[in-house]
Amino acid sequence: MHLSTLSFFLLLGIHSLFAQSTTLSGTIEGDGETLIGASIRIGNTGTTTNTYGRYSITLPADTYRVEYSYIGFSVKDTLIDLREDDVVLNVTLSTGVALETVVVSGERADRNVRSAEMGVVPLPLDKLKELPALLGEPDPLKLAQYSPGISSASDGSSGLFVRGGGADQNLVLLDEAVVYNSGHILGFFSVFNPDALKKTTIYKGAMPANYGGRLSSVIDIQMKDGNSKDWRVEGGVGIVSSRLTVEGPLVEDKTSFILSGRRTYAYDLARPFLNGSDFDGTNYYFYDLNAKVNHKFSDKDRLYLSGYFGRDLLNFASRFRDANFGINYGNLTGTARWNHVINSQLFMNASLIYNNYDYTFEGREFGIDANIVSGVADWNGKLDFDYSFTPRERPHNVKFGLNFIRHRLSPNVSDFQSVGEEEEINLFGRSGIRYANEYALYVLDRFDLDRNGLFSVDIGLRATAYQLFGPYTSLVTETDFKEGQIVKTYAGLEPRILARYVLTEESSFKTGIAFTNQYVHMVTNSASSLPLDIWVPSTDLVEPQRGWQASLGYFRNLDRNKYEISVEGYFRTFNNQIDYGETYVNDPTDELEEQFVFGQGLAYGLELYLRKREGPLTGWISYTASRTERLFPDINNGRPYPAVQDRPHDFSALMSYELNPRWQFGAIFVYTSGLPITPIQSAFITEQSVNLLFGRRNSARIRPYHRLDVSATLKPHPNTERRFSSSWTFAVYNIYDNRNPLFFYYDTQENPITGKTEVVGKQVSFFPVIPSVTWNFKWRQKSAKNER
């Protein structure tokens, strides 16, 4: 807190040195919601709104023409006198109803060139429901997989590999709360209901200094605030699930809410057909619930309360094997945020956040009962400040703040019971519970180095620290630490810098470098984020993961900003990576920490991106050529090998075509290199047991993955002014029925000709051609004020 107070008075002192400047500030709203990332442009300079729709820009005293814009809304142009006093201007943008092309042009057309950001993926959530999706379920994380540098962990998985990073190296945030498992069962769908979301942004390059705790990327998702002017009901009915969202003003223009829910029912419909079968009693479903309330006390103070609760419940029963088991896991998040405008240049946000991910497995087979519990729970306190000032006619936007996280990790606590015998087995020390604190301070500054705004930088520094507390028994020193005793302390500095130089009105170069630390880790035997994967803390044996990334890119717009082109190259390293040793066997009596091995990694690649922004045909094409390697002294005889994330070639094409206001068509094509696997080198039989000798780790690949999805959306009444509107989306997933491999394994079988036992590789495919249909609907009741 002392550092934050010192920074506050220091910035106020800087402001007093440039008293001849004046400040324009306020909030930008549209369609009853604050707008994130709306553009404010004044000549060659400008700014954007923050997460809460707030903007502030300090300029030399003068009269200015200001342009406000946001995608999906008409541009607002106004003349503002800043020659005397600071001006507070809250702007409401209107939607373009009649001309769709005008609506699209509401986005700042040259943002691709002018913005200092690189490696940033903004996802168009408004188009998500019109694109083909697995089983008709629109999913923002699936949409992200079609961007350069981002690939899916496996077919149907919600896990993402970003520029060679693992699924656990992505910081996934929902209204600032960490989501530790973003996928529903087997990762086929993510936990994010698009009806409840306002904006999703992915930082895959040099992430800003206000983010931290993960090595690879940030997936920042904001929920809608709830419409402050009109009542709305929105939803959809599909073949596997239905969803419903209600939002509106509790007190118009002052208090609003949103409540959104989703539930699957495919197995519920199938249960009558399972009665009397070997799988009688088997059932599975998941549900999501999002809720948010926000209250505006005044133009300077606002309170947000939001939460998410979702669970997966699977019950499997088999009379044939006399076995049954149940899996119950889910996420719970809660966020309380207070926004306060200290003055026209200084904005504060204070947050208190709770998140909990828990996993329970209960099963019985062959007379043995098993119970396994795992999870992570965090308390998180944040204090963030935004400050804008203009020394020497060059606007600066400074952000600084602090963050404290209290971790409670239950890596894997198990209990096994059998008839006449009971044995309690703890897989991670004596208590199975780990407590740790994580601390962070950060500051970043965004400013232009020249008066024409050609050369701009985003420079930041994040300082982090981590402490593990007892009870804990050290595997290094064999010391027993009591509750509350500090076991180990780690710390690190994380400099970040982004720079942009504008070559012409249509082109620019950008570069960036970032250092990152990660203190909690997910250890997995699979390629995606499954509930059986466990989160473990840094200890005196398990050191923090550390890494850095450098990137360079060329960005260009063509044909009056109708097309965007970018070429980005990156190189990154990963230190203190964690894996299981080659001789690891999942034995519950083993001490889990003793099974880990540690190594290094690197990734490099080239990303090509072409986007068409306007016209009846829109979409993008992306291609990534990359390599990702790991080097573990205890794996592959200490030689480097391709990581499971390695995708030498990754191509995606996403297209949307508007035939007329009633019909829209979509198509997605994906091609990626096959997953790396470890091949069989030889096999021999001893005492009627087949023994397999494997070759070098991940030295072979399964065949490449590719598929084509198509969709057609019908809007019977395309007039958006109707109180009730609906649409039908017809989609076909994997239209040419390519049996893509979900995973690959080896088995033995007898050759009917020779009579010898042979080892054969077998591929498991899960998704053939899958048609789907979804009915989406919206109902809107305008307030009396808006009706007038």
Side-chain angles (χ1 to χ4, degrees):
M1 292 298 295
H2 297 294
L3 179 58
S4 177
T5 304
L6 178 61
S7 301
F8 172 77
F9 285 109
L10 177 62
L11 291 174
L12 289 183
I14 293 174
H15 168 61
S16 65
L17 295 177
F18 304 98
Q20 292 182 348
S21 300
T22 56
T23 300
L24 173 65
S25 63
T27 302
I28 300 182
E29 295 186 353
D31 206 19
E33 289 271 352
T34 57
L35 300 179
I36 302 171
S39 294
I40 302 91
R41 189 170 184 180
I42 305 173
N44 290 327
T45 189
T47 187
T48 58
T49 54
N50 64 12
T51 306
Y52 306 98
R54 176 85 186 169
Y55 75 95
S56 176
I57 184 168
T58 303
L59 299 164
D62 205 343
T63 300
Y64 296 94
R65 181 165 295 278
V66 184
E67 180 185 279
Y68 298 91
S69 63
Y70 188 77
I71 184 171
F73 294 83
S74 299
V75 176
K76 186 169 185 177
D77 198 309
T78 184
L79 193 66
I80 299 177
D81 189 353
L82 292 178
R83 290 177 295 183
E84 296 182 2
D85 299 324
D86 293 345
V87 174
V88 177
L89 181 60
N90 298 323
V91 176
T92 300
L93 299 181
S94 59
T95 56
V97 176
L99 301 177
E100 290 294 326
T101 56
V102 173
V103 175
V104 174
S105 65
E107 180 185 10
R108 180 170 173 175
D110 61 353
R111 182 178 179 87
N112 180 53
V113 173
R114 286 281 177 174
S115 170
E117 296 174 334
M118 68 180 302
V120 177
V121 183
L123 299 181
L125 296 179
D126 56 327
K127 294 292 184 181
L128 187 57
K129 297 171 189 174
E130 298 174 7
L131 294 172
L134 176 63
L135 297 172
E137 276 293 298
D139 193 328
L141 293 193
K142 292 290 188 298
L143 187 61
Q145 297 171 4
Y146 311 127
S147 301
I150 303 176
S151 61
S152 169
S154 62
D155 194 1
S157 171
S158 64
L160 297 180
F161 294 152
V162 181
R163 290 185 170 178
D168 70 312
Q169 294 171 349
N170 305 314
L171 178 64
V172 183
L173 301 173
L174 179 63
D175 270 4
E176 299 185 10
V178 177
V179 179
Y180 278 94
N181 192 317
S182 60
H184 286 298
I185 196 75
L186 296 180
F188 294 152
F189 308 109
S190 79
V191 301
F192 304 112
N193 180 358
D195 291 344
L197 307 183
K198 178 194 290 190
K199 188 176 180 66
T200 298
T201 304
I202 300 178
Y203 298 87
K204 61 181 181 178
M207 64 184 74
N210 54 308
Y211 296 105
R214 296 295 185 274
L215 233 59
S216 186
S217 72
V218 177
I219 304 173
D220 192 359
I221 302 174
Q222 289 94 32
M223 290 170 52
K224 293 178 180 177
D225 299 329
N227 198 292
S228 61
K229 300 182 182 298
D230 307 325
W231 282 89
R232 295 187 177 185
V233 178
E234 181 176 3
V237 179
I239 61 175
V240 297
S241 71
S242 291
R243 60 186 194 276
L244 182 67
T245 300
V246 180
E247 59 178 316
L250 298 175
V251 179
E252 191 170 342
D253 293 328
K254 206 170 184 66
T255 308
S256 63
F257 82 100
I258 182 171
L259 186 64
S260 182
R262 176 176 64 166
R263 189 189 188 278
T264 57
Y265 42 69
Y267 266 92
D268 294 315
L269 298 177
R271 288 186 70 180
F273 302 98
L274 298 177
N275 291 338
S277 71
D278 287 338
F279 301 100
D280 189 0
T282 297
N283 193 21
Y284 165 71
Y285 65 92
F286 71 75
Y287 59 87
D288 301 301
L289 180 65
N290 298 77
K292 190 171 185 176
V293 176
N294 82 89
H295 177 73
K296 183 179 180 182
F297 293 97
S298 66
D299 287 338
K300 291 189 174 184
D301 291 280
R302 199 160 192 165
L303 179 66
Y304 298 85
L305 300 174
S306 62
Y308 164 79
F309 184 68
R311 297 207 73 79
D312 285 67
L313 294 101
L314 169 65
N315 291 309
F316 174 82
S318 174
R319 294 189 298 179
F320 176 74
R321 295 184 59 189
D322 188 25
N324 63 79
F325 66 85
I327 297 177
N328 183 337
Y329 77 95
N331 296 280
L332 169 67
T333 72
T335 305
R337 293 177 289 180
W338 170 44
N339 292 173
H340 177 61
V341 179
I342 298 175
N343 56 47
S344 60
Q345 295 174 272
L346 188 60
F347 173 83
M348 182 200 75
N349 177 72
S351 303
L352 179 62
I353 305 160
Y354 176 75
N355 57 270
N356 187 345
Y357 164 67
D358 66 278
Y359 163 78
T360 302
F361 173 90
E362 294 179 342
R364 169 177 290 184
E365 186 172 14
F366 306 123
I368 299 177
D369 291 336
N371 181 50
I372 302 174
V373 179
S374 180
V376 187
D378 296 338
W379 281 101
N380 187 348
K382 296 178 60 182
L383 194 59
D384 303 286
F385 295 90
D386 285 12
Y387 185 76
S388 299
F389 66 100
T390 308
R392 300 178 184 178
E393 302 183 359
R394 297 172 192 172
H396 285 243
N397 178 230
V398 177
K399 293 185 177 182
F400 59 98
L402 53 89
N403 184 204
F404 168 79
I405 304 176
R406 174 66 168 177
H407 296 292
R408 181 185 185 274
L409 299 98
S410 307
N412 211 337
V413 181
S414 304
D415 177 74
F416 293 83
Q417 297 180 9
S418 59
V419 177
E421 181 180 357
E422 180 176 334
E423 181 181 3
E424 184 173 324
I425 303 172
N426 190 319
L427 298 187
F428 207 85
R430 294 180 178 177
S431 67
I433 308 295
R434 294 288 171 263
Y435 298 94
N437 291 349
E438 196 170 338
Y439 318 88
L441 293 170
Y442 75 88
V443 60
L444 66 91
D445 188 6
R446 295 169 175 168
F447 60 95
D448 295 332
L449 292 176
D450 64 300
R451 294 185 179 183
N452 296 322
L454 299 179
F455 195 6
S456 66
V457 296
D458 182 330
I459 185 168
L461 178 65
R462 185 179 182 91
T464 62
Y466 167 92
Q467 290 180 316
L468 176 70
F469 294 90
Y472 177 77
T473 300
S474 172
L475 297 179
V476 177
T477 64
E478 298 183 353
T479 303
D480 288 329
F481 293 89
K482 298 180 180 180
E483 183 176 353
Q485 280 188 294
I486 297 177
V487 177
K488 189 70 176 180
T489 299
Y490 293 101
L493 290 177
E494 303 177 13
R496 321 270 178 88
I497 185 168
L498 285 167
R500 180 224 63 202
Y501 184 75
V502 176
L503 298 172
T504 67
E505 286 294 323
E506 295 83 21
S507 63
S508 66
F509 271 116
K510 302 179 185 180
T511 187
I513 187 169
F515 291 80
T516 50
N517 295 286
Q518 181 168 332
Y519 297 105
V520 293
H521 328 275
M522 185 179 72
V523 187
T524 175
N525 264 331
S526 63
S528 61
S529 178
L530 300 177
L532 286 174
D533 301 331
I534 60 173
W535 286 87
V536 299
S538 295
T539 65
D540 54 354
L541 180 63
V542 180
E543 297 184 6
Q545 299 180 63
R546 305 187 190 274
W548 66 273
Q549 176 184 178
S551 54
L552 176 68
Y554 174 72
F555 300 79
R556 183 176 178 84
N557 287 4
L558 300 171
D559 195 10
R560 298 180 181 180
N561 298 315
K562 290 183 180 179
Y563 297 90
E564 295 179 0
I565 296 177
S566 66
V567 181
E568 291 187 61
Y570 67 87
F571 180 88
R572 67 189 313 175
T573 65
F574 307 88
N575 297 319
N576 302 329
Q577 299 299 282
I578 306 175
D579 205 340
Y580 292 108
E582 290 191 304
T583 59
Y584 170 72
V585 178
N586 189 9
D587 187 343
T589 63
D590 289 337
E591 182 68 41
L592 188 59
E593 248 184 294
E594 295 178 334
Q595 308 306 313
F596 296 156
V597 293
F598 308 96
Q600 317 300 318
L602 66 85
Y604 52 90
L606 183 69
E607 302 170 356
L608 307 178
Y609 180 70
L610 169 63
R611 177 190 176 194
K612 187 175 185 295
R613 301 176 58 255
E614 300 180 15
L617 178 66
T618 59
W620 66 75
I621 297 173
S622 72
Y623 170 72
T624 304
S626 64
R627 295 311 301 258
T628 303
E629 295 180 345
R630 294 291 184 264
L631 176 62
F632 283 72
D634 300 310
I635 296 178
N636 204 42
N637 295 322
R639 292 177 292 184
Y641 60 90
V644 70
Q645 300 95 322
D646 188 50
R647 303 288 193 277
H649 302 282
D650 192 339
F651 175 85
S652 298
L654 184 150
M655 298 294 169
S656 178
Y657 178 70
E658 183 176 355
L659 180 65
N660 54 51
R662 286 169 51 88
W663 284 99
Q664 289 84 39
F665 298 92
I668 297 173
F669 177 75
V670 180
Y671 176 94
T672 64
S673 300
L675 294 171
I677 60 171
T678 303
I680 292 292
Q681 191 174 47
S682 62
F684 59 93
I685 300 176
T686 57
E687 298 180 356
Q688 298 182 345
S689 176
V690 178
N691 297 273
L692 303 178
L693 295 180
F694 290 89
R696 295 179 59 186
R697 171 74 70 97
N698 290 347
S699 58
R701 290 184 183 274
I702 58 179
R703 63 184 178 86
Y705 176 100
H706 56 91
R707 74 168 201 276
L708 173 65
D709 311 331
V710 296
S711 67
T713 300
L714 171 63
K715 298 178 180 178
H717 304 285
N719 183 359
T720 57
E721 288 297 291
R722 292 173 58 93
R723 179 173 295 180
F724 180 84
S725 62
S726 65
S727 65
W728 291 87
T729 297
F730 309 92
V732 181
Y733 183 91
N734 193 13
I735 191 170
Y736 55 81
D737 194 24
N738 184 39
R739 297 304 174 97
N740 288 298
L742 183 64
F743 61 88
F744 188 89
Y745 71 98
Y746 293 101
D747 199 1
T748 58
Q749 67 181 29
E750 183 176 330
N751 189 315
I753 299 177
T754 64
K756 295 181 178 180
T757 301
E758 298 178 345
V759 178
V760 294
K762 293 188 177 181
Q763 169 188 299
V764 176
S765 299
F766 202 85
F767 297 106
V769 54
I770 303 177
S772 64
V773 58
T774 305
W775 178 58
N776 298 303
F777 61 88
K778 292 183 180 180
W779 176 85
R780 176 174 180 173
Q781 175 63 57
K782 290 187 176 182
S783 65
K785 182 189 297 185
N786 288 340
E787 291 284 0
R788 293 194 297 268

